[in-house]
Amino acid sequence: MIPLKTFVSEHRAANLLAQVRWRDGVYCPRCRGESAILYGSYRMFQRYRCKNCDRTFNGKTGTVFEHSSVALRKWFLAVYAYVRFILSDKSS
Ligand SMILES: [Zn+2]
């Protein structure tokens, strides 16, 4: 069960994305290198710098959310509502 606060706070939404995406550890979405260092932040997102290719990235880089102007928490609410209400309705 995803807490409702996820859909209110962009910070919590960013944390949830990071938890899911980096569950096996942080890697560079550009070169797949696995040695990245903390490198400040981008809005609500932790920013990293890849030691291999020297480029920076954050939790949204390389995901469908990267270039969206819609806040991540709103995406999560839409996805959650879809899974919770639309999909569950079809199975019954
Ligand atoms: Zn890299």
Side-chain angles (χ1 to χ4, degrees):
M1 183 68 182
I2 296 174
L4 284 176
K5 285 176 180 172
T6 301
F7 309 126
V8 179
S9 160
E10 188 70 359
H11 189 71
R12 283 171 184 268
N15 283 343
L16 178 63
L17 179 64
Q19 272 178 39
V20 173
R21 184 167 193 204
W22 308 128
R23 63 190 180 280
D24 296 325
V26 176
Y27 64 89
C28 174
R30 306 186 199 280
C31 73
R32 303 277 159 186
E34 289 180 359
S35 55
I37 58 169
L38 299 179
Y39 199 68
S41 62
Y42 168 74
R43 294 183 184 172
M44 294 296 157
F45 298 88
Q46 174 65 54
R47 190 154 63 128
Y48 302 91
R49 189 165 67 87
C50 175
K51 282 181 169 179
N52 189 40
C53 69
D54 231 29
R55 298 175 75 177
T56 62
F57 59 95
N58 61 65
K60 279 207 292 192
T61 306
T63 71
V64 292
F65 310 111
E66 182 176 1
H67 300 293
S68 175
S69 58
V70 175
L72 190 61
R73 62 192 157 85
K74 294 179 181 173
W75 276 114
F76 281 179
L77 177 59
V79 172
Y80 175 78
Y82 182 79
V83 171
R84 176 73 178 77
F85 300 109
I86 309 291
L87 294 185
S88 65
D89 195 42
K90 282 179 180 169
S91 62
S92 62

